[in-house]
Amino acid sequence: MLQKLRDKTSGWIVTVIMGLLMIPFLFVIDNSYLGGVGAQNVAKVSAPPSWWRSAPSWWPMSFLWNHHEISVEDFRTRFEQARVQAREQQGDNFDPRQFETTENKLAVLDQLVDEQVVRLAAEDAHIVIGDKAVRDYITAIPAFQKDGKFDADQYRLTLAQGNPPRTPDMFDQLVRTSLQQSIIPTALAQSGFTTKGEAERLLKLLGETRDVEFGMLPAPAADTAAVSDAEVEQWYKSHPKDFLQPETVTLEYVELNAATLPAATAADEATLRHRYEEEKARFVAADQRLASHILISAGSDAASQQAAEAKAAKLAAEAKQGADFAALAKANSDDPGSKDAGGDLGWVEKGVMVKPFEDALFAMKAGDVVGPVKTEFGYHVLKLREIKGGEGRSFEEVRDQLAAEQLQADTEKAFSEFSGRLVDLVYKNPTALEPAAKEVGIPVQTVGPFTRATATGIAANPAVLKAAFSDTLTEDGTVSDPIEIGPNHSVMIRVTAHTPEQATPLAQVKDKVIAAVRAHRAEEASKKAADALLAKLNGGQTLQALAAAEQLQLLPVPGLPRGAPMPSEAANRAVFSAAPPAADKPSYGKVALEDGRYAVFAVTKVTPGNVAEVPEQQQAMLKQQLSQIDGAAAAKAYVDGMRKRYKVQVQESQL
């Protein structure tokens, strides 16, 4: 019977049937198997097999390709890292909504794609990272070290506390992958070089000066011609960002200020005495010793140690017998810091000296001489000249201080309890502020509408302003957490009205539009006049000859250095962008000035920078920087080139 079944299922009919059954199955296969981006991924980078560079990328040949996918989780982790970095760099100016742009997301994704491109390239080049390289890299990371040495327990603890937490095996693989994908770009970056001639040419350009003369055109006459409705409409539509109404919010808020709360009751005598007993150590003066010493240094061998110890013992005996300790120190001490001062160390507190030295010194009585005392520096002879400190201040001496501190603590406690009660009430009804404020007995105040630029009072505080325009408060209408604006001073706010940024109706800004059109006309007229003058200069007339006829204000600037804002930064760029004068004929150009006027200019002389005047150290530094730039460009060109060879698919809807 089994043989009959085998015979009936081996014909061409069965093959056709199986093929038909496969068709619906293909529609439920994850798209990533067929060459697309999977449902849990934002991008995929694919490379043809090394043994068939021209392999087609369509299915089913795509199975032969090597694929690296970028998951949604990977992208979100990297994007959050970028968010944290931007917040640290921008501080209070960081705008979460502005950061959440498609451009920022694509920029982060682009970095991830480049990493996968170089990783595929490394795999294609059969680059393998050995265990020793991974181990050496990890053990050199300071976060995994104690006292400058790698500590396995510290390694595991740091990984477990990371975000996200990782096991040693996971981190080993992460390091291995990072080293693998960075080895080629790093090698290329380090291969950059700059010749001496290239560096000198750049130095000559950087140090170049130009003799130039500016001819300032008169300020253009005010445009008073009529502006038609069609011109107004056209300008308004072509410059929408110039006529926007900024985003506004209106707030209601409660202010929590310890200064306006009922004053805390002064602590009674028993409370103050109890605090004094608990904190008595605070009011004890530090124990100090006025000490001198003689240091006899010793080598590492036994004979040197014995000789140093014997010499120190001899000096200690002489000092105990009445010899001048300072004279002995000047003649014998090996401590260059105290020798000339007769061994004087000044007043010494605990925790300053090494332990054997400190133990001996703080066990002595005033006038004692002790030695030899062995430390890592050698053998010491100590003399304790005077003792002070260790005395405690009485309760009566510190009563006022304790009372002030207790009053401050009670005030802070009362403020904290009051704030906590208000927060608890708000949490019960987070979309309303009035009921909670009424129950604790503080008024609800309002402010607004205001923009980010017109906020005043409490609303102008950076923390309050940031919260007021946050997505959470503008969209949900909930009460904020307490926002600290000073010590024991905070506010809780709720956005009661929010108007997004939007276009201002033309009727409201028609006068501004007309003014903009007229200003543009005047600018165009000035530009046209400058073009006419430039044509005359290029036609053979001189700037001096035109100055009188055209009422130009001449401004000669000999030896203008590159980058100097003379008469403006834009003018300097225009001057150094102009061609050098040829055959004693000046080169001419024009530039718009900051006050709306135009100027034409004549470059009459170009003087290259003198390389000999640049110190050798600066020349070497510039050459090194140019080499780094060249290496970075080579690495980028490599990544860009490999990216063109590979297939990159992005699913923006997953970002």
Side-chain angles (χ1 to χ4, degrees):
M1 183 175 180
L2 291 175
Q3 182 61 43
K4 289 182 179 180
L5 181 62
R6 185 180 299 110
D7 292 340
K8 290 181 179 294
T9 58
S10 60
W12 66 270
I13 297 178
V14 175
T15 302
V16 173
I17 293 173
M18 292 299 293
L20 293 174
L21 290 175
M22 284 292 293
I23 293 175
F25 174 71
L26 293 176
F27 286 98
V28 298
I29 295 179
D30 188 340
N31 192 41
S32 62
Y33 287 99
L34 304 180
V37 181
Q40 300 302 317
N41 302 310
V42 294
K44 182 167 74 170
V45 183
S46 306
S50 57
W51 48 272
W52 189 6
R53 296 294 186 189
S54 60
S57 61
W58 36 262
W59 184 84
M61 305 307 295
S62 59
F63 283 107
L64 300 175
W65 284 50
N66 299 318
H67 307 283
H68 281 186
E69 295 177 327
I70 300 170
S71 69
V72 172
E73 182 180 356
D74 290 340
F75 170 75
R76 288 176 180 170
T77 299
R78 182 65 64 85
F79 191 71
E80 185 58 32
Q81 292 173 352
R83 186 201 310 276
V84 171
Q85 184 178 10
R87 184 182 291 111
E88 291 176 351
Q89 292 175 345
Q90 300 174 23
D92 292 338
N93 294 325
F94 178 74
D95 187 341
R97 284 186 297 176
Q98 187 173 359
F99 184 79
E100 290 278 349
T101 61
T102 302
E103 291 77 8
N104 281 345
K105 291 180 178 180
L106 289 175
V108 170
L109 180 59
D110 212 43
Q111 295 175 359
L112 289 169
V113 168
D114 284 346
E115 290 174 8
Q116 296 307 317
V117 165
V118 294
R119 183 181 171 189
L120 274 169
E123 292 174 355
D124 194 29
H126 305 293
I127 293 174
V128 178
I129 305 300
D131 293 339
K132 184 178 183 302
V134 175
R135 185 169 56 252
D136 291 346
Y137 184 90
I138 291 175
T139 55
I141 297 175
F144 304 147
Q145 297 177 353
K146 276 188 178 180
D147 300 325
K149 295 182 179 179
F150 177 77
D151 185 273
D153 293 335
Q154 179 71 18
Y155 173 52
R156 287 189 289 270
L157 179 63
T158 303
L159 292 180
Q161 294 176 343
N163 184 21
R166 291 187 174 94
T167 65
D169 287 343
M170 292 167 62
F171 190 72
D172 285 6
Q173 185 57 45
L174 177 64
V175 170
R176 192 183 304 274
T177 300
S178 298
L179 291 175
Q180 182 190 42
Q181 69 187 30
S182 66
I183 194 166
I184 295 178
T186 300
L188 287 170
Q190 294 173 349
S191 69
F193 69 94
T194 301
T195 65
K196 182 179 180 181
E198 289 172 331
E200 289 182 352
R201 282 196 295 273
L202 182 59
L203 285 170
K204 290 179 181 179
L205 284 173
L206 293 174
E208 179 183 300
T209 62
R210 294 191 169 194
D211 292 352
V212 60
E213 188 167 21
F214 292 92
M216 314 290 191
L217 276 71
D223 183 275
T224 57
V227 180
S228 67
D229 290 342
E231 289 178 298
V232 170
E233 182 77 19
Q234 191 276 332
W235 186 272
Y236 175 78
K237 289 183 176 180
S238 60
H239 299 81
K241 292 184 178 180
D242 293 346
F243 308 104
L244 290 176
Q245 289 180 342
E247 181 183 18
T248 64
V249 294
T250 301
L251 302 181
E252 64 177 12
Y253 68 94
V254 292
E255 186 174 0
L256 311 175
N257 193 343
T260 62
L261 295 177
T265 304
D268 57 25
E269 196 78 0
T271 301
L272 295 180
R273 285 191 177 276
H274 178 70
R275 181 167 185 154
Y276 173 75
E277 292 299 328
E278 286 188 334
E279 304 178 8
K280 188 178 279 188
R282 291 174 49 207
F283 307 108
V284 176
D287 194 4
Q288 295 181 311
R289 299 290 190 268
L290 184 61
S292 299
H293 85 135
I294 301 170
L295 171 64
I296 306 301
S297 58
S300 58
D301 58 287
S304 176
Q305 292 278 336
Q306 291 175 0
E309 184 178 12
K311 182 177 180 179
K314 179 176 179 296
L315 292 171
E318 292 178 11
K320 290 177 181 179
Q321 293 170 5
D324 187 336
F325 193 92
L328 291 174
K330 288 181 179 179
N332 298 281
S333 182
D334 293 325
D335 179 11
S338 65
K339 178 177 181 178
D340 294 339
D344 182 22
L345 295 173
W347 290 100
V348 178
E349 296 182 8
K350 285 188 176 181
V352 175
M353 299 298 184
V354 292
K355 192 175 188 306
F357 189 104
E358 185 178 281
D359 290 345
L361 180 63
F362 281 84
M364 297 168 63
K365 296 180 181 179
D368 284 354
V369 174
V370 172
V373 176
K374 184 180 180 182
T375 72
E376 60 194 83
F377 302 105
Y379 291 87
H380 303 260
V381 179
L382 311 181
K383 180 176 182 180
L384 178 57
R385 291 145 53 198
E386 190 178 339
I387 298 175
K388 73 175 182 179
E391 307 89 5
R393 299 169 67 190
S394 67
F395 170 76
E396 287 72 19
E397 291 178 290
V398 298
R399 186 188 185 286
D400 290 344
Q401 178 183 344
L402 289 169
E405 291 174 353
Q406 187 64 46
L407 182 62
Q408 177 66 22
D410 291 342
T411 299
E412 291 178 355
K413 181 181 179 183
F415 177 79
S416 179
E417 291 176 348
F418 183 83
S419 299
R421 184 184 172 205
L422 178 62
V423 170
D424 290 342
L425 291 170
V426 167
Y427 283 168
K428 293 179 181 179
N429 185 8
T431 58
L433 192 54
E434 181 71 35
K438 185 176 181 180
E439 186 162 341
V440 299
I442 56 176
V444 175
Q445 304 178 65
T446 60
V447 59
F450 58 86
T451 68
R452 287 181 172 86
T454 62
T456 58
I458 289 291
N461 179 276
V464 175
L465 193 63
K466 181 179 179 181
F469 285 92
S470 67
D471 288 342
T472 302
L473 297 190
T474 57
E475 294 177 4
D476 297 346
T478 54
V479 180
S480 72
D481 292 330
I483 302 170
E484 185 176 358
I485 58 178
N488 295 326
H489 188 190
S490 61
V491 294
M492 297 178 72
I493 66 174
R494 188 176 78 87
V495 176
T496 58
H498 172 236
T499 304
E501 183 181 65
Q502 57 186 316
T504 307
L506 176 57
Q508 295 181 21
V509 293
K510 185 174 181 179
D511 291 342
K512 291 183 179 180
V513 175
I514 292 174
V517 171
R518 286 175 170 165
H520 178 69
R521 286 177 179 174
E523 181 183 354
E524 287 297 308
S526 184
K527 181 181 178 182
K528 186 176 180 181
D531 287 336
L533 288 176
L534 192 58
K536 292 179 181 180
L537 291 170
N538 288 324
Q541 298 189 44
T542 65
L543 187 59
Q544 291 76 12
L546 288 175
E550 303 291 343
Q551 298 180 346
L552 303 182
Q553 178 186 354
L554 294 181
L555 176 63
V557 185
L560 177 67
R562 185 184 296 272
M566 287 287 294
S568 67
E569 293 181 1
N572 187 277
R573 288 194 298 270
V575 167
F576 281 88
S577 298
D584 295 329
K585 181 181 179 182
S587 62
Y588 300 104
K590 69 175 182 181
V591 63
L593 302 179
E594 294 175 350
D595 61 0
R597 293 191 298 166
Y598 269 80
V600 291
F601 60 83
V603 178
T604 57
K605 182 180 179 183
V606 173
T607 305
N610 188 352
V611 178
E613 295 178 353
V614 181
E616 289 291 336
Q617 184 178 1
Q618 291 186 17
Q619 292 189 40
M621 186 180 299
L622 176 65
K623 188 175 179 181
Q624 181 183 9
Q625 291 173 346
L626 292 175
S627 297
Q628 291 173 349
I629 293 172
D630 179 68
K636 186 178 185 306
Y638 168 77
V639 175
D640 292 344
M642 297 307 296
R643 187 162 177 166
K644 290 178 181 178
R645 289 178 52 186
Y646 297 162
K647 181 179 180 181
V648 178
Q649 296 169 276
V650 174
Q651 188 68 41
E652 290 191 20
S653 62
Q654 296 286 75
L655 296 179

